Amino acid sequence: MKIVVVGTGYVGLPHGAICSEYGHTVYAYDINQERIDAYNSGDRQQIEQQINEPGLVPIIQEQLNRNLFFTTDISDVIEGTEVIFMCLNTPPRRDGSTDLTYYTNAANHIAELLAARKEQTRVVLVNKSTVPVGTARYLEGILKQHGVENAGVASNPEFLAQGKAVEGSRSPDRVVVGADTEEDLGILRKLYAAYVNHVRIRYIETTPETAECIKYLGNTLLLTYISFWNGIGARMAESHDNIRMEDLKVGVTADSRISTWGSYVSNGAGGSCFGKDIQSLIYQLKSSGNQAHLLEAVFDINEYQKTYLFDRAGYEAGFNFNNKSVALLGLAFKKRTNDMRDSASLKAVQALLAKGVKEIRAYDPLAMHEATRYFDPEDNHLYDRIVYCESERDALQGSDACYLSTDWEEFRTLSADIRASVDAPYLIIDGRRMLPDYMALVQDGYDYLPVGGQFLSINETKAYKPKNPLPKTSSLIGR
Ligand code: UGA
């Protein structure tokens, strides 16, 4: 089938590449010339600087100019196209609602092109990126305004997790397709022939609105799991002697009805989706006259989690960040990606600078280049205090404390780097509970402050523990 993918970011690029691998002819369109040039170069480094997804580059290199074409102009290719995937970024506004400006501009442009077609092949416009319930209907309105004939709309949300896009596309848990007519459902069935009637993949056909809603409920339920563990499990283990976080997790999730996913306590979930989607769902609920207390609490807990360890370092470990050097280990929002959108490290940098550190020695296996875009000294002169380091050991050199922010596998062996680079006493703040041998470090005089556990030290510290250290958070309540 001939298909067009509009927007070549984290959703559009892997999706377009996988569709080309399944034998469809894919025209991937973006208004960003630099991005399109990078993809057209076929060069690994250039592509990965745009989007870094394991396994993606070989597919692009193999399919480029065979089944996969990148362009900034789709006016010539729209003729005969059966499916157009809308994969545009839909950023959140301050009030949590979704900004559909890029989406609307692209939809109007495409509707104009579709209205001017010579042959009126049936075409389905499919929302792939996460958009509020009702957006497929809104798209239908745009098509009508432009007098487009023989076109339908559908919702086919993307459920892939970053870092697993290729693996996940080849073997998804489910494919959800929401469309109004049997004809349009049939076109998408043809496109997804590899998944329909698959023994393991659930191929779900429903209405566009249901499909849109499935995506929001799925993502916010996942974040609810994470906030449950961060806001309740971790808090209990931090507040009581002798609660072992790992045992707690195993014991609770041994119930087959309870997910193990989400039980990895952390310095808050980041990424482009969870924060944005939950704020959007809160907005959608409230705009239809409902309360959203549960989701507001989930959101607040997640945001609180991103910096609370620095406060604990003060009141539990007696550590004063002023004029100190801190190694920041991990910048990406999770392992195996260079994506820093909504990453805990962004808030960590702000918190550390606000506490007056003299330098932040940052290291990430993949996101170093990306970080320079976020911390431009021209935006804030304090970003001069960030030193970009070449390895964990380089970051630890001369530091007074380290903060482990991203769950990179290589950080599991950080203890050896710490022993080789810095002498005890030294404060290790572990936002991911990644150090399996932390007890040995503590016995050797290092101070250990983890998420989901009490502060451990054999040294005398100026610590004090306030009775109720947790401030009330209410960033969204009352909006
Ligand atoms: C998420 C969902 O998992 C996907 O199903 C969804 O399709 C996607 O959003 C989307 O809407 O596009 P993603 O943002 O790539 O995928 O990342 P996740 O693997 O879900 O991780 C999100 C954050 O939660 C990361 O910062 C991760 O480190 C953190 N996390 C995850 C925890 O803190 N604890 C956990 O137990 C699991």
Side-chain angles (χ1 to χ4, degrees):
M1 292 170 79
K2 180 175 174 182
I3 69 175
V4 166
V5 173
V6 181
T8 58
Y10 277 98
V11 172
L13 184 69
H15 182 64
I18 296 289
C19 286
S20 73
E21 205 184 29
Y22 279 123
H24 301 300
T25 305
V26 179
Y27 293 90
Y29 160 71
D30 205 299
I31 51 169
N32 183 336
Q33 186 72 52
E34 187 194 321
R35 216 169 220 194
I36 292 297
D37 289 346
Y39 301 149
N40 270 330
S41 74
D43 175 64
R44 171 178 287 276
Q45 210 186 346
Q46 287 193 49
I47 299 170
E48 286 184 343
Q49 268 187 9
Q50 299 296 328
I51 305 288
N52 198 320
E53 262 307 324
L56 188 58
V57 171
I59 305 177
I60 295 175
Q61 289 170 337
E62 200 182 303
Q63 298 299 334
L64 189 63
N65 298 328
R66 290 173 62 207
N67 282 344
L68 182 60
F69 303 88
F70 292 100
T71 177
T72 50
D73 179 9
I74 42 165
S75 48
D76 292 345
V77 301
I78 222 82
E79 203 75 40
T81 292
E82 286 178 87
V83 181
I84 299 177
F85 284 105
M86 306 291 280
C87 306
L88 293 131
N89 50 338
T90 48
R93 292 204 195 90
R94 282 182 78 80
D95 63 359
S97 63
T98 307
D99 182 351
L100 289 175
T101 311
Y102 299 118
Y103 179 90
T104 308
N105 290 345
N108 277 312
H109 175 53
I110 287 161
E112 267 170 35
L113 296 174
L114 287 173
R117 287 178 302 172
K118 288 189 205 82
E119 278 180 44
Q120 301 288 330
T121 316
R122 179 78 186 171
V123 61
V124 190
L125 273 82
V126 185
N127 287 334
K128 191 90 193 133
S129 36
T130 308
V131 282
V133 175
T135 307
R137 212 52 71 200
Y138 169 69
L139 183 59
E140 187 178 55
I142 294 179
L143 295 178
K144 276 197 186 125
Q145 266 170 23
H146 286 81
V148 178
E149 283 180 30
N150 210 15
V153 294
S155 165
N156 167 223
E158 184 55 81
F159 294 104
L160 297 174
Q162 266 173 244
K164 290 189 178 159
V166 171
E167 184 186 324
S169 295
R170 287 183 177 142
S171 184
D173 300 331
R174 70 225 201 261
V175 176
V176 174
V177 177
D180 293 317
T181 65
E182 179 49 35
E183 185 180 12
D184 294 345
L185 288 170
I187 290 175
L188 286 154
R189 232 175 272 141
K190 191 167 81 168
L191 183 112
Y192 287 129
Y195 305 138
V196 183
N197 297 327
H198 192 282
V199 283
R200 206 193 43 76
I201 300 168
R202 299 193 56 187
Y203 192 85
I204 301 157
E205 293 184 340
T206 182
T207 65
E209 286 78 2
T210 313
E212 288 165 342
C213 197
I214 287 172
K215 172 70 194 206
Y216 279 101
L217 266 59
N219 266 8
T220 48
L221 185 57
L222 290 173
L223 186 57
T224 303
Y225 268 117
I226 294 176
S227 280
F228 175 86
W229 280 104
N230 279 338
I232 312 281
R235 280 309 87 80
M236 289 302 283
E238 287 159 7
S239 317
H240 295 273
D241 291 340
N242 268 328
I243 293 186
R244 290 195 206 142
M245 192 63 229
E246 277 63 39
D247 296 350
L248 185 64
K249 192 166 87 176
V250 172
V252 173
T253 61
D255 183 330
S256 61
R257 295 168 301 176
I258 298 176
S259 154
T260 52
W261 192 96
S263 65
Y264 297 89
V265 293
S266 69
N267 49 347
S272 64
C273 307
F274 284 161
K276 177 167 77 95
D277 293 353
I278 194 165
Q279 290 184 75
S280 173
L281 187 55
I282 290 169
Y283 185 88
Q284 292 176 56
L285 280 162
K286 288 189 164 182
S287 348
S288 48
N290 298 290
Q291 299 283 5
H293 293 151
L294 172 67
L295 297 185
E296 285 168 339
V298 166
F299 178 85
D300 282 348
I301 290 167
N302 193 51
E303 290 308 299
Y304 175 69
Q305 208 65 12
K306 291 179 183 170
T307 53
Y308 88 115
L309 281 165
F310 300 120
D311 296 330
R312 279 185 69 198
Y315 61 71
E316 288 186 44
F319 189 83
N320 182 352
F321 286 91
N322 194 34
N323 221 17
K324 297 279 172 31
S325 165
V326 177
L328 172 57
L329 300 162
L331 295 162
F333 83 97
K334 66 172 184 180
K335 63 185 171 186
R336 296 199 210 111
T337 179
N338 64 343
D339 192 348
M340 286 178 60
R341 285 176 294 173
D342 217 7
S343 175
S345 68
L346 298 175
K347 282 211 158 174
V349 165
Q350 303 309 333
L352 288 169
L353 292 175
K355 285 183 184 293
V357 294
K358 78 169 177 233
E359 73 174 356
I360 297 173
R361 302 184 60 79
Y363 170 69
D364 187 283
L366 275 186
M368 299 304 280
H369 180 265
E370 193 67 3
T372 56
R373 298 202 302 120
Y374 281 89
F375 306 124
D376 184 349
E378 292 206 352
D379 297 338
N380 178 350
H381 71 278
L382 290 178
Y383 292 152
D384 274 341
R385 296 185 186 182
I386 302 174
V387 180
Y388 294 97
C389 299
E390 283 172 9
S391 64
E392 291 97 316
R393 289 195 183 196
D394 184 14
L396 291 165
Q397 273 320 313
S399 63
D400 301 292
C402 67
Y403 176 62
L404 199 163
S405 187
T406 311
D407 55 342
W408 285 104
E409 288 305 334
E410 62 185 83
F411 292 161
R412 285 205 187 277
T413 52
L414 196 66
S415 308
D417 300 311
I418 290 173
R419 285 175 197 282
S421 314
V422 281
D423 293 332
Y426 175 87
L427 177 63
I428 304 160
I429 308 172
D430 188 350
R432 295 283 188 161
R433 292 189 73 80
M434 290 279 288
L435 303 190
D437 50 350
Y438 63 87
M439 275 316 288
L441 279 169
V442 172
Q443 270 147 22
D444 290 342
Y446 292 92
D447 293 346
Y448 186 63
L449 177 70
V451 57
Q454 292 192 324
F455 172 59
L456 299 173
S457 174
I458 56 164
N459 304 306
E460 240 184 68
T461 64
K462 286 183 239 102
Y464 67 96
K465 223 176 159 187
K467 275 214 176 82
N468 181 11
L470 307 177
K472 283 207 172 98
T473 56
S474 59
S475 59
L476 275 172
I477 293 171
R479 259 187 187 171

